[in-house]
Amino acid sequence: MLHGHAVATCMGFGAYLSWKHCDWISGDQCLRICQLISDLELSLWHDVMDDKEIFHSCTKKMIQKRGGNLAAPLPRGDIGSVGYLNDITDAQLSQYVDEYKSYVTKENSTFARNGYGVEPLLDDVGLGDTALEATAHVRAEIACDKKNVVATDSASSEEKKEDIDDANTAEDNRSKSYQ
């Protein structure tokens, strides 16, 4: 998906979360934001958002990159003002994604093209189709993350103690070399 379309899907979904989850904006404000995105022929929805495993994995990576906080910027109050969402569960995200899909893609939706953008994919503009490669990469990261969690969980407390002792010894050696 082209970057602008990907950002637009996040902006539309963020407006929906701000309205439904946070109660920071009204339904009319959410509609206004989503209508503008649609009028610009950008995407409000892409079917990759249906893949909850990828969706949640990407959310977890955002939290890791942001010091343990989701820090999702959402409209708050007047359009143009912002608040940051930190507290939402995977179950709530899944529920809101499903609701948002219905909001923007239903047949009687007020949004053109049922929420889909015009030429949203790289292939649409002659840049080649990388979706399969990108999806395979994300799935490999998910598998690696799962493997690391299992390996971490199965490590004995003795191994963890040895790791801490090794780290302390290394720190002591560095301290001595600077004296």
Side-chain angles (χ1 to χ4, degrees):
M1 182 188 305
L2 291 167
H3 181 75
H5 286 275
V7 170
T9 62
C10 290
M11 291 174 66
F13 182 57
Y16 188 82
L17 280 176
S18 184
W19 170 35
K20 291 291 190 171
H21 180 71
C22 302
D23 197 30
W24 288 347
I25 64 172
S26 69
D28 287 342
Q29 288 172 302
C30 180
L31 177 62
R32 180 178 165 202
I33 292 167
C34 291
Q35 192 62 61
L36 177 62
I37 293 168
S38 179
D39 289 348
L40 293 170
E41 298 184 345
L42 293 169
S43 300
L44 288 166
W45 179 260
H46 187 277
D47 291 337
V48 73
M49 295 168 76
D50 270 329
D51 190 325
K52 300 299 191 307
E53 184 177 40
I54 288 178
F55 196 92
H56 294 303
S57 174
C58 292
T59 302
K60 284 177 180 44
K61 293 224 183 286
M62 285 189 287
I63 291 168
Q64 289 170 349
K65 291 178 181 179
R66 295 174 178 164
N69 295 299
L70 179 57
L74 304 179
R76 183 173 188 168
D78 294 332
I79 292 179
S81 297
V82 66
Y84 293 90
L85 173 64
N86 280 320
D87 58 336
I88 191 163
T89 66
D90 283 351
Q92 289 171 318
L93 270 176
S94 292
Q95 172 193 333
Y96 288 122
V97 167
D98 292 341
E99 289 176 12
Y100 175 70
K101 179 181 181 181
S102 293
Y103 179 70
V104 298
T105 65
K106 61 186 176 189
E107 287 298 321
N108 59 352
S109 171
T110 61
F111 306 114
R113 303 165 311 280
N114 296 321
Y116 290 88
V118 173
E119 297 183 340
L121 305 176
L122 280 80
D123 198 38
D124 293 335
V125 294
L127 296 176
D129 185 7
T130 59
L132 292 176
E133 182 181 336
T135 301
H137 177 76
V138 172
R139 293 215 184 281
E141 283 184 346
I142 292 169
C144 185
D145 290 346
K146 286 179 181 177
K147 184 179 178 182
N148 288 339
V149 167
V150 169
T152 301
D153 289 345
S154 65
S156 71
S157 60
E158 188 59 38
E159 290 171 325
K160 291 177 185 175
K161 184 181 179 304
E162 289 174 12
D163 290 343
I164 291 169
D165 290 343
D166 290 346
N168 288 337
T169 301
E171 182 63 31
D172 290 343
N173 289 340
R174 277 194 296 276
S175 295
K176 289 176 186 173
S177 68
Y178 290 115
Q179 294 175 350

